[in-house]
Amino acid sequence: MQLSHFLKVYPWEEDPDLLLLFSTRQISKILIPKEVYLAAKNGGVSPLNTSLLSELGMLVPDPQAEKQAAISWLEALNATNSELTVTVVLNLDCNFACTYCYEGDMKGRLYMSAQTAARLVDFIKQRFGPGKNALNIDFYGGEPLLSIGTIKSISRELKAFAESRDASYSFSLVTNGALLKRKVTQELADLGLTNVKITLDGPPEVHDRYRPFKSGKGSFDVIIKNIKETWDLAKIGIGGNFDRHTYAEFPRLLGYLEKEGLTPDKIPAVKFDPITNSPEGDLSPTDYRDGCMSINEPWLVEAGTQLREEILKHGYNTLKPKPLFCLIENRDAFVVNYDGVIYKCPAFIGQNGYAVGDLKSGVNDYSQTYQLDIWKTEECRECVYLPLCYGGCRYMTFLRNGQIDQLDCKKDYFDATLETYIKQDIQYRS
Ligand code: SF4
Ligand code: SF4
């Protein structure tokens, strides 16, 4: 047995005789004495430790075969995927005027018509072939709750269809939260609503500056009231978008949520992400330029690790390091715009050349458009972070270069943060 190719080894400050081992492939971790690690490295480890480290994916019979399996993993997932996931952009209208909204100039009174919704249902039924047993829809906008009638009619049809196939139907909402009243949430829960993602961009005065109603009035208090009314009807995850000026304010949001009784037992997930700038000269209605263009920007290391620590310290759940790949790689995931044009990622909506088809004519081959094999380079094949990255986010490359011509390499970011993330999980969740 040999050490896994996907092994990170970190010092353990509290006891210099120990090492922290983390498998980026199996997402396993262990603290072991240095001499056990050295014995494992040199092939002289005891049978008991061999068995333990093998179970954790840290000792493997053949590291070359292990690398090949990591490369083939996406193919294997696609071949056995029993779920169909469709993001439905119901409209490009909104009751908010967020300062950084990337939908920018595309927005207006643009709604999915009844005819397009009927075509969407047909498209989904066709795509839900044998071997599929779970149908997941993400309703998206604009603001999806401005299209409540369309959500209900699509869900009624798809729920009945899934049940006729002994499959499950569920849907989620990515909403600004202002229209999420108890009555409507109850009706939607009866039709399959399971998850809601609501964005709070910091404590009240910061959020209200970044995410006001169109009238200019603050939206924070309305959203908090609605979360209090509905948290028991669907799983409400709180997201928050920060920039270099606001991230230090976010811990106050966590304190506020606690004070208002929105404690971790009521809010199953919290995650804060950096705002990205719009592509140069493109779509943005404002001059907003305080976001990021790459996850490797140095300020994001401090912001990301500090905010994650605060979330965990307050007892909320947040994402753990896990195998991750761009959803464009998922052959059973699509984004359908309000007008029936199909994309692979919501961030590309409206971008010339990135549509992959439409509801009338179906899906075209998009392997070139989205550079599906871009990560199959020597650099990625040899990279210890491959299972956590698979070439990164195509949209971030597009943002920087105006096309998908390079990897969105996150090596620097992982080098700077992964050890801290793992140690945070040991401190707060073990
Ligand atoms: S391009 Fe980026 S935002 Fe779009 S699906 Fe891939 S990882 Fe997500
Ligand atoms: S893009 Fe960079 S971090 Fe990601 S797998 Fe490739 S080399 Fe590793």
Side-chain angles (χ1 to χ4, degrees), residues 30-232:
I30 190 171
L31 270 176
I32 56 168
K34 261 185 191 161
E35 72 255 22
V36 174
Y37 169 69
L38 290 174
K41 197 172 169 188
N42 299 321
V45 73
S46 71
L48 194 65
N49 284 330
T50 301
S51 145
L52 176 65
L53 293 174
S54 305
E55 223 169 89
L56 295 171
M58 294 172 179
L59 277 177
V60 295
D62 178 354
Q64 284 308 324
E66 185 199 28
K67 271 193 230 173
Q68 192 48 49
I71 289 160
S72 313
W73 185 63
L74 297 189
E75 269 306 309
L77 275 187
N78 272 319
T80 55
N81 186 2
S82 59
E83 300 185 9
L84 175 66
T85 302
V86 181
T87 300
V88 180
V89 181
L90 290 161
N91 60 61
L92 289 180
D93 200 3
C94 196
N95 44 350
F96 279 18
C98 303
T99 50
Y100 54 82
C101 178
Y102 73 90
E103 286 174 358
D105 283 352
M106 288 186 295
K107 286 200 317 210
R109 292 200 53 77
L110 302 167
Y111 283 77
M112 182 172 277
S113 67
Q115 190 186 39
T116 305
R119 281 201 186 112
L120 169 74
V121 169
D122 287 345
F123 170 81
I124 290 171
K125 287 180 178 174
Q126 276 165 24
R127 284 266 154 187
F128 202 78
K132 295 276 175 265
N133 61 26
L135 175 54
N136 310 316
I137 306 293
D138 293 325
F139 287 114
Y140 205 88
E143 169 49 48
L145 288 173
L146 291 171
S147 294
I148 186 72
T150 314
I151 296 177
K152 286 183 187 171
S153 62
I154 291 173
S155 290
R156 263 186 222 112
E157 286 219 42
L158 292 180
K159 189 166 187 284
F161 165 72
E163 283 168 4
S164 75
R165 299 278 295 268
D166 281 334
S168 66
Y169 171 70
S170 65
F171 70 91
S172 61
L173 293 174
V174 180
T175 170
N176 60 35
L179 299 171
L180 194 76
K181 301 292 176 196
R182 186 163 180 91
K183 183 167 173 285
V184 99
T185 310
Q186 181 66 70
E187 286 166 6
L188 295 181
D190 294 342
L191 288 170
L193 173 69
T194 53
N195 290 70
V196 180
K197 186 184 164 203
I198 295 180
T199 304
L200 288 171
D201 282 355
E205 76 287 359
V206 180
H207 170 95
D208 286 344
R209 212 164 64 231
Y210 278 68
R211 297 180 71 81
F213 282 103
K214 265 183 177 162
S215 65
K217 195 167 161 266
S219 61
F220 189 90
D221 292 344
V222 175
I223 299 170
I224 293 291
K225 181 171 175 290
N226 289 349
I227 297 175
K228 285 182 185 170
E229 266 183 38
T230 53
W231 65 267
D232 58 329

Side-chain angles (χ1 to χ4, degrees), residues 324-329 344-348 370 392-396 404 408 410:
L324 201 65
F325 55 90
C326 171
L327 283 181
I328 286 168
E329 301 276 357
K344 284 297 289 178
C345 160
F348 280 98
Y370 283 99
C393 169
R394 305 290 199 286
Y395 182 68
M396 290 302 266
I404 305 172
D408 172 46
K410 299 177 178 172

Side-chain angles (χ1 to χ4, degrees), residues 379-380 383 386 389 391 407 409-411:
E379 196 188 357
C380 293
C383 177
L386 178 68
C389 175
L407 295 166
C409 185
K410 299 177 178 172
K411 216 175 212 163

